[in-house]
Amino acid sequence: MNSVATPGIGLAALCVVLVAAATAVYWGADLGSITVAPGAALRAVAQLSVVALVLAAALAHLWSSLLVLLVMFIAATLTAAGRAGAGVSGGWLTLAVGAGMAAVLPAMLVSGVVPMTGVAVVPVGGIILGGTMTATSLAARRSLDALTQRRGEVEAALSLGLTDRDARLEMIRSTAADALLPGVDQTRTVGLVTLPGAFVGVLVASGSAAQAAAVQILVLLGLMLAQACAVAVTTELVARGRVWRSGVISGARRRAGCGSR
């Protein structure tokens, strides 16, 4: 079996049925606008069609594959900043996403475990990047939410002599760490609850079960490291006031009248 989904009338019909069913559930359970599912489906089809055409050409060369990965990195950073609601300060999250990628992808390539070819670099790099983006956006959003909800505690800590950084860090450390739970849970339950994409992808490509397991283990462990690095950097950026949300600023910082401290 070379593919589980071959483009054609059957696939198109099934996709229409799935979207229609999702729309019906949205309407019946009053989960939101009935245009959500069709809109998301049309966007996915358009985006993946363009990506398929681009990748068909880009994966033929390493330099063009790295360019594709760079575009994906920029999109991931913008998405993380947007989800965190950090405004222009969200640009600092480039450091967090970059730290996660830098900790994992070069080691995979230099070791030779991941071949220095576009067809290998883009899929593996994309998976690591996607997980890193999610952890970064969750850590930033939850940290900023915690500072909003616990503003009084931050002020109290400042009055006791703590620095801005230490006062914020006391409020956000445990909250930001929650962003790592999805990745850790996925690693703990792999094979028991789910068969993630890398495993299924290798099997669909006619690889052996052992090869599929090896690739999936590599990806999961790489994700754990990348996400840990990203969350650590995100926490530090928020604690130092580099990433902030309008209104989520300590009294000391407001009095100083600066953009960051």
Side-chain angles (χ1 to χ4, degrees), residues 43-82:
R43 179 171 176 173
V45 170
Q47 290 177 173
L48 288 177
S49 297
V50 173
V51 168
L53 293 175
V54 171
L55 289 182
L59 294 184
H61 306 283
L62 180 60
W63 68 268
S64 55
S65 298
L66 294 177
L67 184 60
V68 168
L69 200 57
L70 175 61
V71 173
M72 293 168 65
F73 177 83
I74 295 173
T77 302
L78 293 175
T79 300

Side-chain angles (χ1 to χ4, degrees), residues 15-131:
C15 289
V16 170
V17 171
L18 293 176
V19 173
T23 302
V25 174
Y26 265 79
W27 176 76
D30 195 21
L31 298 178
S33 172
I34 60 173
T35 63
V36 171
L42 289 174
R43 179 171 176 173
V45 170
Q47 290 177 173
L48 288 177
S49 297
V50 173
V51 168
L53 293 175
V54 171
L55 289 182
L59 294 184
H61 306 283
L62 180 60
W63 68 268
S64 55
S65 298
L66 294 177
L67 184 60
V68 168
L69 200 57
L70 175 61
V71 173
M72 293 168 65
F73 177 83
I74 295 173
T77 302
L78 293 175
T79 300
R83 288 179 179 174
V88 294
S89 70
W92 284 95
L93 294 177
T94 301
L95 297 178
V97 179
M101 293 296 290
V104 175
L105 194 56
M108 290 182 172
L109 296 176
V110 172
S111 66
V113 174
V114 175
M116 197 79 74
T117 60
V119 73
V121 171
V122 172
V124 174
I127 293 173
I128 300 297
L129 180 58

Side-chain angles (χ1 to χ4, degrees), residues 226-237:
Q227 291 177 334
C229 291
V231 170
V233 173
T234 300
T235 302
E236 190 65 27
L237 289 171

Side-chain angles (χ1 to χ4, degrees), residues 157-174:
L158 289 171
S159 69
L160 293 176
L162 272 69
T163 64
D164 277 8
R165 172 192 177 274
D166 292 340
R168 297 188 190 108
L169 196 57
E170 284 295 319
M171 304 303 128
I172 68 177
R173 183 182 285 116
S174 60

